[in-house]
PDB file of all heavy atoms in Angstrom:
ATOM      1  N   GLY O 107      14.483  52.014 132.171  1.00  0.00           N
ATOM      2  CA  GLY O 107      15.356  53.180 132.034  1.00  0.00           C
ATOM      3  C   GLY O 107      15.292  53.772 130.639  1.00  0.00           C
ATOM      4  O   GLY O 107      15.241  54.991 130.467  1.00  0.00           O
ATOM      5  N   THR O 108      15.265  52.892 129.640  1.00  0.00           N
ATOM      6  CA  THR O 108      15.168  53.342 128.256  1.00  0.00           C
ATOM      7  C   THR O 108      13.841  54.062 128.027  1.00  0.00           C
ATOM      8  O   THR O 108      13.805  55.127 127.417  1.00  0.00           O
ATOM      9  CB  THR O 108      15.308  52.139 127.300  1.00  0.00           C
ATOM     10  OG1 THR O 108      16.564  51.520 127.542  1.00  0.00           O
ATOM     11  CG2 THR O 108      15.226  52.563 125.855  1.00  0.00           C
ATOM     12  N   ALA O 109      12.766  53.504 128.524  1.00  0.00           N
ATOM     13  CA  ALA O 109      11.449  54.128 128.378  1.00  0.00           C
ATOM     14  C   ALA O 109      11.392  55.471 129.101  1.00  0.00           C
ATOM     15  O   ALA O 109      10.826  56.440 128.592  1.00  0.00           O
ATOM     16  CB  ALA O 109      10.362  53.197 128.908  1.00  0.00           C
ATOM     17  N   GLN O 110      11.986  55.547 130.285  1.00  0.00           N
ATOM     18  CA  GLN O 110      11.988  56.805 131.034  1.00  0.00           C
ATOM     19  C   GLN O 110      12.788  57.872 130.292  1.00  0.00           C
ATOM     20  O   GLN O 110      12.366  59.026 130.205  1.00  0.00           O
ATOM     21  CB  GLN O 110      12.547  56.578 132.440  1.00  0.00           C
ATOM     22  CG  GLN O 110      11.593  55.785 133.305  1.00  0.00           C
ATOM     23  CD  GLN O 110      12.241  55.258 134.573  1.00  0.00           C
ATOM     24  OE1 GLN O 110      13.427  54.926 134.601  1.00  0.00           O
ATOM     25  NE2 GLN O 110      11.460  55.172 135.638  1.00  0.00           N
ATOM     26  N   ALA O 111      13.930  57.497 129.731  1.00  0.00           N
ATOM     27  CA  ALA O 111      14.733  58.452 128.954  1.00  0.00           C
ATOM     28  C   ALA O 111      13.950  58.919 127.724  1.00  0.00           C
ATOM     29  O   ALA O 111      13.953  60.111 127.386  1.00  0.00           O
ATOM     30  CB  ALA O 111      16.063  57.833 128.553  1.00  0.00           C
ATOM     31  N   GLY O 112      13.251  57.987 127.062  1.00  0.00           N
ATOM     32  CA  GLY O 112      12.426  58.352 125.909  1.00  0.00           C
ATOM     33  C   GLY O 112      11.306  59.300 126.295  1.00  0.00           C
ATOM     34  O   GLY O 112      10.970  60.227 125.560  1.00  0.00           O
ATOM     35  N   GLY O 113      10.733  59.088 127.476  1.00  0.00           N
ATOM     36  CA  GLY O 113       9.679  59.981 127.973  1.00  0.00           C
ATOM     37  C   GLY O 113      10.194  61.381 128.233  1.00  0.00           C
ATOM     38  O   GLY O 113       9.509  62.379 127.953  1.00  0.00           O
ATOM     39  N   VAL O 114      11.400  61.489 128.761  1.00  0.00           N
ATOM     40  CA  VAL O 114      12.019  62.794 129.012  1.00  0.00           C
ATOM     41  C   VAL O 114      12.204  63.536 127.690  1.00  0.00           C
ATOM     42  O   VAL O 114      11.949  64.739 127.587  1.00  0.00           O
ATOM     43  CB  VAL O 114      13.360  62.609 129.756  1.00  0.00           C
ATOM     44  CG1 VAL O 114      14.221  63.849 129.688  1.00  0.00           C
ATOM     45  CG2 VAL O 114      13.106  62.222 131.197  1.00  0.00           C
ATOM     46  N   VAL O 115      12.634  62.818 126.657  1.00  0.00           N
ATOM     47  CA  VAL O 115      12.826  63.422 125.329  1.00  0.00           C
ATOM     48  C   VAL O 115      11.486  63.919 124.784  1.00  0.00           C
ATOM     49  O   VAL O 115      11.383  65.039 124.284  1.00  0.00           O
ATOM     50  CB  VAL O 115      13.473  62.410 124.358  1.00  0.00           C
ATOM     51  CG1 VAL O 115      13.503  62.954 122.944  1.00  0.00           C
ATOM     52  CG2 VAL O 115      14.875  62.039 124.832  1.00  0.00           C
ATOM     53  N   ALA O 116      10.455  63.069 124.873  1.00  0.00           N
ATOM     54  CA  ALA O 116       9.130  63.450 124.371  1.00  0.00           C
ATOM     55  C   ALA O 116       8.593  64.671 125.120  1.00  0.00           C
ATOM     56  O   ALA O 116       7.991  65.564 124.509  1.00  0.00           O
ATOM     57  CB  ALA O 116       8.158  62.272 124.501  1.00  0.00           C
ATOM     58  N   LEU O 117       8.802  64.733 126.413  1.00  0.00           N
ATOM     59  CA  LEU O 117       8.357  65.877 127.209  1.00  0.00           C
ATOM     60  C   LEU O 117       9.055  67.159 126.769  1.00  0.00           C
ATOM     61  O   LEU O 117       8.417  68.201 126.592  1.00  0.00           O
ATOM     62  CB  LEU O 117       8.608  65.615 128.695  1.00  0.00           C
ATOM     63  CG  LEU O 117       8.279  66.768 129.642  1.00  0.00           C
ATOM     64  CD1 LEU O 117       6.796  67.099 129.602  1.00  0.00           C
ATOM     65  CD2 LEU O 117       8.725  66.421 131.051  1.00  0.00           C
ATOM     66  N   ALA O 118      10.374  67.088 126.578  1.00  0.00           N
ATOM     67  CA  ALA O 118      11.125  68.272 126.153  1.00  0.00           C
ATOM     68  C   ALA O 118      10.623  68.769 124.796  1.00  0.00           C
ATOM     69  O   ALA O 118      10.481  69.980 124.582  1.00  0.00           O
ATOM     70  CB  ALA O 118      12.619  67.955 126.088  1.00  0.00           C
ATOM     71  N   ALA O 119      10.337  67.847 123.886  1.00  0.00           N
ATOM     72  CA  ALA O 119       9.818  68.231 122.570  1.00  0.00           C
ATOM     73  C   ALA O 119       8.417  68.826 122.688  1.00  0.00           C
ATOM     74  O   ALA O 119       8.111  69.851 122.070  1.00  0.00           O
ATOM     75  CB  ALA O 119       9.803  67.019 121.645  1.00  0.00           C
ATOM     76  N   ALA O 120       7.567  68.210 123.501  1.00  0.00           N
ATOM     77  CA  ALA O 120       6.195  68.691 123.671  1.00  0.00           C
ATOM     78  C   ALA O 120       6.167  70.101 124.242  1.00  0.00           C
ATOM     79  O   ALA O 120       5.321  70.918 123.857  1.00  0.00           O
ATOM     80  CB  ALA O 120       5.408  67.737 124.566  1.00  0.00           C
ATOM     81  N   ARG O 121       7.087  70.394 125.148  1.00  0.00           N
ATOM     82  CA  ARG O 121       7.156  71.746 125.711  1.00  0.00           C
ATOM     83  C   ARG O 121       7.432  72.790 124.643  1.00  0.00           C
ATOM     84  O   ARG O 121       7.124  73.953 124.826  1.00  0.00           O
ATOM     85  CB  ARG O 121       8.224  71.814 126.797  1.00  0.00           C
ATOM     86  CG  ARG O 121       7.799  71.175 128.075  1.00  0.00           C
ATOM     87  CD  ARG O 121       8.770  71.470 129.182  1.00  0.00           C
ATOM     88  NE  ARG O 121       8.173  71.070 130.436  1.00  0.00           N
ATOM     89  CZ  ARG O 121       8.855  70.629 131.461  1.00  0.00           C
ATOM     90  NH1 ARG O 121      10.172  70.539 131.396  1.00  0.00           N
ATOM     91  NH2 ARG O 121       8.234  70.280 132.572  1.00  0.00           N
ATOM     92  N   ARG O 122       8.029  72.391 123.547  1.00  0.00           N
ATOM     93  CA  ARG O 122       8.335  73.310 122.449  1.00  0.00           C
ATOM     94  C   ARG O 122       7.326  73.195 121.318  1.00  0.00           C
ATOM     95  O   ARG O 122       7.505  73.785 120.261  1.00  0.00           O
ATOM     96  CB  ARG O 122       9.745  73.031 121.931  1.00  0.00           C
ATOM     97  CG  ARG O 122      10.820  73.507 122.888  1.00  0.00           C
ATOM     98  CD  ARG O 122      12.161  72.880 122.595  1.00  0.00           C
ATOM     99  NE  ARG O 122      13.199  73.437 123.430  1.00  0.00           N
ATOM    100  CZ  ARG O 122      13.383  73.154 124.712  1.00  0.00           C
ATOM    101  NH1 ARG O 122      12.561  72.301 125.312  1.00  0.00           N
ATOM    102  NH2 ARG O 122      14.351  73.697 125.392  1.00  0.00           N
ATOM    103  N   GLY O 123       6.301  72.389 121.520  1.00  0.00           N
ATOM    104  CA  GLY O 123       5.275  72.218 120.495  1.00  0.00           C
ATOM    105  C   GLY O 123       5.741  71.389 119.307  1.00  0.00           C
ATOM    106  O   GLY O 123       5.157  71.477 118.230  1.00  0.00           O
ATOM    107  N   LEU O 124       6.776  70.583 119.501  1.00  0.00           N
ATOM    108  CA  LEU O 124       7.299  69.770 118.410  1.00  0.00           C
ATOM    109  C   LEU O 124       6.623  68.407 118.369  1.00  0.00           C
ATOM    110  O   LEU O 124       6.448  67.778 119.414  1.00  0.00           O
ATOM    111  CB  LEU O 124       8.806  69.551 118.587  1.00  0.00           C
ATOM    112  CG  LEU O 124       9.682  70.780 118.462  1.00  0.00           C
ATOM    113  CD1 LEU O 124      11.119  70.445 118.853  1.00  0.00           C
ATOM    114  CD2 LEU O 124       9.632  71.317 117.044  1.00  0.00           C
ATOM    115  N   PRO O 125       6.281  67.942 117.181  1.00  0.00           N
ATOM    116  CA  PRO O 125       5.726  66.589 117.090  1.00  0.00           C
ATOM    117  C   PRO O 125       6.795  65.557 117.403  1.00  0.00           C
ATOM    118  O   PRO O 125       7.968  65.747 117.087  1.00  0.00           O
ATOM    119  CB  PRO O 125       5.260  66.486 115.636  1.00  0.00           C
ATOM    120  CG  PRO O 125       5.976  67.555 114.902  1.00  0.00           C
ATOM    121  CD  PRO O 125       6.341  68.616 115.888  1.00  0.00           C
ATOM    122  N   VAL O 126       6.366  64.468 118.032  1.00  0.00           N
ATOM    123  CA  VAL O 126       7.261  63.361 118.368  1.00  0.00           C
ATOM    124  C   VAL O 126       6.690  62.101 117.732  1.00  0.00           C
ATOM    125  O   VAL O 126       5.506  61.812 117.873  1.00  0.00           O
ATOM    126  CB  VAL O 126       7.363  63.163 119.898  1.00  0.00           C
ATOM    127  CG1 VAL O 126       8.257  61.974 120.222  1.00  0.00           C
ATOM    128  CG2 VAL O 126       7.869  64.424 120.567  1.00  0.00           C
ATOM    129  N   THR O 127       7.548  61.372 117.032  1.00  0.00           N
ATOM    130  CA  THR O 127       7.144  60.108 116.427  1.00  0.00           C
ATOM    131  C   THR O 127       8.050  59.017 116.966  1.00  0.00           C
ATOM    132  O   THR O 127       9.263  59.196 117.048  1.00  0.00           O
ATOM    133  CB  THR O 127       7.253  60.167 114.889  1.00  0.00           C
ATOM    134  OG1 THR O 127       6.438  61.229 114.411  1.00  0.00           O
ATOM    135  CG2 THR O 127       6.794  58.863 114.263  1.00  0.00           C
ATOM    136  N   PHE O 128       7.447  57.903 117.341  1.00  0.00           N
ATOM    137  CA  PHE O 128       8.199  56.760 117.838  1.00  0.00           C
ATOM    138  C   PHE O 128       8.305  55.719 116.737  1.00  0.00           C
ATOM    139  O   PHE O 128       7.312  55.420 116.073  1.00  0.00           O
ATOM    140  CB  PHE O 128       7.516  56.167 119.077  1.00  0.00           C
ATOM    141  CG  PHE O 128       7.578  57.068 120.268  1.00  0.00           C
ATOM    142  CD1 PHE O 128       6.598  58.022 120.487  1.00  0.00           C
ATOM    143  CD2 PHE O 128       8.630  56.969 121.171  1.00  0.00           C
ATOM    144  CE1 PHE O 128       6.659  58.877 121.581  1.00  0.00           C
ATOM    145  CE2 PHE O 128       8.699  57.815 122.273  1.00  0.00           C
ATOM    146  CZ  PHE O 128       7.722  58.770 122.476  1.00  0.00           C
ATOM    147  N   HIS O 129       9.499  55.192 116.533  1.00  0.00           N
ATOM    148  CA  HIS O 129       9.747  54.163 115.522  1.00  0.00           C
ATOM    149  C   HIS O 129      10.316  52.925 116.211  1.00  0.00           C
ATOM    150  O   HIS O 129      11.175  53.042 117.086  1.00  0.00           O
ATOM    151  CB  HIS O 129      10.753  54.657 114.477  1.00  0.00           C
ATOM    152  CG  HIS O 129      10.292  55.842 113.702  1.00  0.00           C
ATOM    153  ND1 HIS O 129       9.446  55.744 112.624  1.00  0.00           N
ATOM    154  CD2 HIS O 129      10.555  57.168 113.851  1.00  0.00           C
ATOM    155  CE1 HIS O 129       9.216  56.959 112.141  1.00  0.00           C
ATOM    156  NE2 HIS O 129       9.869  57.838 112.866  1.00  0.00           N
ATOM    157  N   THR O 130       9.859  51.744 115.790  1.00  0.00           N
ATOM    158  CA  THR O 130      10.384  50.505 116.359  1.00  0.00           C
ATOM    159  C   THR O 130      11.780  50.238 115.799  1.00  0.00           C
ATOM    160  O   THR O 130      12.108  50.684 114.691  1.00  0.00           O
ATOM    161  CB  THR O 130       9.484  49.301 116.035  1.00  0.00           C
ATOM    162  OG1 THR O 130       9.496  49.090 114.620  1.00  0.00           O
ATOM    163  CG2 THR O 130       8.067  49.507 116.538  1.00  0.00           C
ATOM    164  N   PRO O 131      12.593  49.500 116.540  1.00  0.00           N
ATOM    165  CA  PRO O 131      13.929  49.164 116.032  1.00  0.00           C
ATOM    166  C   PRO O 131      13.889  48.469 114.667  1.00  0.00           C
ATOM    167  O   PRO O 131      14.688  48.789 113.781  1.00  0.00           O
ATOM    168  CB  PRO O 131      14.497  48.239 117.107  1.00  0.00           C
ATOM    169  CG  PRO O 131      13.792  48.656 118.358  1.00  0.00           C
ATOM    170  CD  PRO O 131      12.400  49.035 117.914  1.00  0.00           C
ATOM    171  N   SER O 132      12.965  47.533 114.480  1.00  0.00           N
ATOM    172  CA  SER O 132      12.910  46.825 113.190  1.00  0.00           C
ATOM    173  C   SER O 132      12.487  47.757 112.056  1.00  0.00           C
ATOM    174  O   SER O 132      12.957  47.612 110.921  1.00  0.00           O
ATOM    175  CB  SER O 132      11.985  45.603 113.269  1.00  0.00           C
ATOM    176  OG  SER O 132      10.684  45.986 113.633  1.00  0.00           O
ATOM    177  N   GLU O 133      11.625  48.724 112.343  1.00  0.00           N
ATOM    178  CA  GLU O 133      11.222  49.710 111.335  1.00  0.00           C
ATOM    179  C   GLU O 133      12.426  50.548 110.898  1.00  0.00           C
ATOM    180  O   GLU O 133      12.634  50.799 109.706  1.00  0.00           O
ATOM    181  CB  GLU O 133      10.133  50.620 111.925  1.00  0.00           C
ATOM    182  CG  GLU O 133       9.631  51.701 111.012  1.00  0.00           C
ATOM    183  CD  GLU O 133       8.639  52.638 111.695  1.00  0.00           C
ATOM    184  OE1 GLU O 133       8.348  52.476 112.900  1.00  0.00           O
ATOM    185  OE2 GLU O 133       8.175  53.550 111.001  1.00  0.00           O
ATOM    186  N   VAL O 134      13.238  50.955 111.861  1.00  0.00           N
ATOM    187  CA  VAL O 134      14.422  51.760 111.566  1.00  0.00           C
ATOM    188  C   VAL O 134      15.421  50.942 110.758  1.00  0.00           C
ATOM    189  O   VAL O 134      15.949  51.406 109.733  1.00  0.00           O
ATOM    190  CB  VAL O 134      15.069  52.281 112.868  1.00  0.00           C
ATOM    191  CG1 VAL O 134      16.377  53.004 112.583  1.00  0.00           C
ATOM    192  CG2 VAL O 134      14.098  53.206 113.595  1.00  0.00           C
ATOM    193  N   LYS O 135      15.684  49.715 111.192  1.00  0.00           N
ATOM    194  CA  LYS O 135      16.634  48.855 110.489  1.00  0.00           C
ATOM    195  C   LYS O 135      16.187  48.609 109.048  1.00  0.00           C
ATOM    196  O   LYS O 135      16.996  48.657 108.120  1.00  0.00           O
ATOM    197  CB  LYS O 135      16.785  47.516 111.214  1.00  0.00           C
ATOM    198  CG  LYS O 135      17.477  47.626 112.553  1.00  0.00           C
ATOM    199  CD  LYS O 135      17.424  46.299 113.285  1.00  0.00           C
ATOM    200  CE  LYS O 135      17.978  46.408 114.685  1.00  0.00           C
ATOM    201  NZ  LYS O 135      17.886  45.138 115.407  1.00  0.00           N
ATOM    202  N   ALA O 136      14.897  48.331 108.869  1.00  0.00           N
ATOM    203  CA  ALA O 136      14.372  48.090 107.524  1.00  0.00           C
ATOM    204  C   ALA O 136      14.503  49.338 106.649  1.00  0.00           C
ATOM    205  O   ALA O 136      14.823  49.237 105.462  1.00  0.00           O
ATOM    206  CB  ALA O 136      12.907  47.649 107.604  1.00  0.00           C
ATOM    207  N   ALA O 137      14.277  50.499 107.225  1.00  0.00           N
ATOM    208  CA  ALA O 137      14.357  51.740 106.445  1.00  0.00           C
ATOM    209  C   ALA O 137      15.770  51.997 105.930  1.00  0.00           C
ATOM    210  O   ALA O 137      15.941  52.406 104.786  1.00  0.00           O
ATOM    211  CB  ALA O 137      13.874  52.921 107.278  1.00  0.00           C
ATOM    212  N   VAL O 138      16.765  51.761 106.759  1.00  0.00           N
ATOM    213  CA  VAL O 138      18.128  52.119 106.350  1.00  0.00           C
ATOM    214  C   VAL O 138      18.916  50.974 105.712  1.00  0.00           C
ATOM    215  O   VAL O 138      19.838  51.232 104.951  1.00  0.00           O
ATOM    216  CB  VAL O 138      18.947  52.758 107.502  1.00  0.00           C
ATOM    217  CG1 VAL O 138      18.319  54.038 107.964  1.00  0.00           C
ATOM    218  CG2 VAL O 138      19.166  51.807 108.634  1.00  0.00           C
ATOM    219  N   THR O 139      18.553  49.722 106.014  1.00  0.00           N
ATOM    220  CA  THR O 139      19.323  48.599 105.460  1.00  0.00           C
ATOM    221  C   THR O 139      18.510  47.723 104.514  1.00  0.00           C
ATOM    222  O   THR O 139      19.083  46.934 103.779  1.00  0.00           O
ATOM    223  CB  THR O 139      19.870  47.679 106.573  1.00  0.00           C
ATOM    224  OG1 THR O 139      18.780  46.954 107.154  1.00  0.00           O
ATOM    225  CG2 THR O 139      20.654  48.446 107.610  1.00  0.00           C
ATOM    226  N   GLY O 140      17.191  47.809 104.586  1.00  0.00           N
ATOM    227  CA  GLY O 140      16.348  46.923 103.789  1.00  0.00           C
ATOM    228  C   GLY O 140      15.946  45.671 104.544  1.00  0.00           C
ATOM    229  O   GLY O 140      15.157  44.876 104.055  1.00  0.00           O
ATOM    230  N   SER O 141      16.495  45.482 105.753  1.00  0.00           N
ATOM    231  CA  SER O 141      16.161  44.306 106.552  1.00  0.00           C
ATOM    232  C   SER O 141      15.876  44.722 107.988  1.00  0.00           C
ATOM    233  O   SER O 141      16.710  45.377 108.627  1.00  0.00           O
ATOM    234  CB  SER O 141      17.314  43.302 106.557  1.00  0.00           C
ATOM    235  OG  SER O 141      17.074  42.281 107.516  1.00  0.00           O
ATOM    236  N   GLY O 142      14.731  44.319 108.493  1.00  0.00           N
ATOM    237  CA  GLY O 142      14.369  44.607 109.873  1.00  0.00           C
ATOM    238  C   GLY O 142      15.164  43.811 110.888  1.00  0.00           C
ATOM    239  O   GLY O 142      15.044  44.036 112.087  1.00  0.00           O
ATOM    240  N   ARG O 143      15.994  42.878 110.405  1.00  0.00           N
ATOM    241  CA  ARG O 143      16.812  42.050 111.292  1.00  0.00           C
ATOM    242  C   ARG O 143      18.299  42.403 111.212  1.00  0.00           C
ATOM    243  O   ARG O 143      19.143  41.653 111.689  1.00  0.00           O
ATOM    244  CB  ARG O 143      16.612  40.578 110.959  1.00  0.00           C
ATOM    245  CG  ARG O 143      15.209  40.118 111.236  1.00  0.00           C
ATOM    246  CD  ARG O 143      15.047  38.671 110.831  1.00  0.00           C
ATOM    247  NE  ARG O 143      13.678  38.263 111.059  1.00  0.00           N
ATOM    248  CZ  ARG O 143      13.349  37.169 111.716  1.00  0.00           C
ATOM    249  NH1 ARG O 143      14.267  36.375 112.194  1.00  0.00           N
ATOM    250  NH2 ARG O 143      12.084  36.861 111.890  1.00  0.00           N
ATOM    251  N   ALA O 144      18.619  43.540 110.613  1.00  0.00           N
ATOM    252  CA  ALA O 144      20.018  43.944 110.471  1.00  0.00           C
ATOM    253  C   ALA O 144      20.654  44.133 111.846  1.00  0.00           C
ATOM    254  O   ALA O 144      19.982  44.494 112.808  1.00  0.00           O
ATOM    255  CB  ALA O 144      20.100  45.250 109.678  1.00  0.00           C
ATOM    256  N   ASP O 145      21.959  43.901 111.913  1.00  0.00           N
ATOM    257  CA  ASP O 145      22.642  44.116 113.185  1.00  0.00           C
ATOM    258  C   ASP O 145      23.195  45.544 113.243  1.00  0.00           C
ATOM    259  O   ASP O 145      23.113  46.296 112.269  1.00  0.00           O
ATOM    260  CB  ASP O 145      23.738  43.069 113.413  1.00  0.00           C
ATOM    261  CG  ASP O 145      24.850  43.110 112.370  1.00  0.00           C
ATOM    262  OD1 ASP O 145      25.081  44.163 111.747  1.00  0.00           O
ATOM    263  OD2 ASP O 145      25.508  42.075 112.182  1.00  0.00           O
ATOM    264  N   LYS O 146      23.753  45.903 114.394  1.00  0.00           N
ATOM    265  CA  LYS O 146      24.255  47.265 114.596  1.00  0.00           C
ATOM    266  C   LYS O 146      25.342  47.633 113.589  1.00  0.00           C
ATOM    267  O   LYS O 146      25.401  48.757 113.122  1.00  0.00           O
ATOM    268  CB  LYS O 146      24.758  47.456 116.024  1.00  0.00           C
ATOM    269  CG  LYS O 146      23.634  47.605 117.034  1.00  0.00           C
ATOM    270  CD  LYS O 146      24.183  48.106 118.350  1.00  0.00           C
ATOM    271  CE  LYS O 146      23.072  48.375 119.344  1.00  0.00           C
ATOM    272  NZ  LYS O 146      22.314  49.579 119.075  1.00  0.00           N
TER     273      LYS O 146
END
Side-chain angles (χ1 to χ4, degrees):
T108 301
Q110 289 166 327
V114 163
V115 172
L117 176 63
R121 285 190 168 149
R122 287 163 175 76
L124 294 172
V126 178
T127 302
F128 292 88
H129 298 279
T130 65
S132 59
E133 179 185 2
V134 174
K135 291 172 186 178
V138 298
T139 71
S141 170
R143 295 177 182 230
D145 62 25
K146 284 193 175 285

